[in-house]
Amino acid sequence: MAQKSFWRFISEVRQETKKVTWPNRKQLLSTTGAVMVVLLVCGIFLGLLDIIFTNVIGDLLKFLTGGL
């Protein structure tokens, strides 16, 4: 029974993937480029926040502990 349902599932997956509208090469490259740019911008933004917060918290701890 489980074997039969597995093959039925595979068959249905194949049928559904035939219905998908796949992007052409130009669309694929442009959307991939957009994703890479967004990731780069987010990475830089988070990196800068990390540096700022690290320095601010470090300075605050130095101030509160008397500069040790």
Side-chain angles (χ1 to χ4, degrees):
M1 182 71 178
Q3 188 98 13
K4 203 173 204 181
S5 64
F6 172 75
W7 290 112
R8 181 175 177 197
F9 171 75
I10 296 298
S11 174
E12 290 174 0
V13 168
R14 291 185 71 194
Q15 289 173 1
E16 290 298 319
T17 55
K18 289 179 184 177
K19 296 178 187 178
V20 173
T21 303
W22 298 100
N24 60 31
R25 184 173 180 84
K26 184 178 178 182
Q27 291 171 331
L28 180 67
L29 291 176
S30 67
T31 54
T32 301
V35 168
M36 297 300 261
V37 168
V38 169
L39 288 173
L40 182 65
V41 169
C42 288
I44 291 170
F45 176 72
L46 291 174
L48 289 174
L49 280 179
D50 181 49
I51 291 169
I52 291 168
F53 286 134
T54 300
N55 290 332
V56 167
I57 291 172
D59 291 343
L60 182 63
L61 287 173
K62 284 181 188 176
F63 174 75
L64 292 175
T65 59
L68 294 175

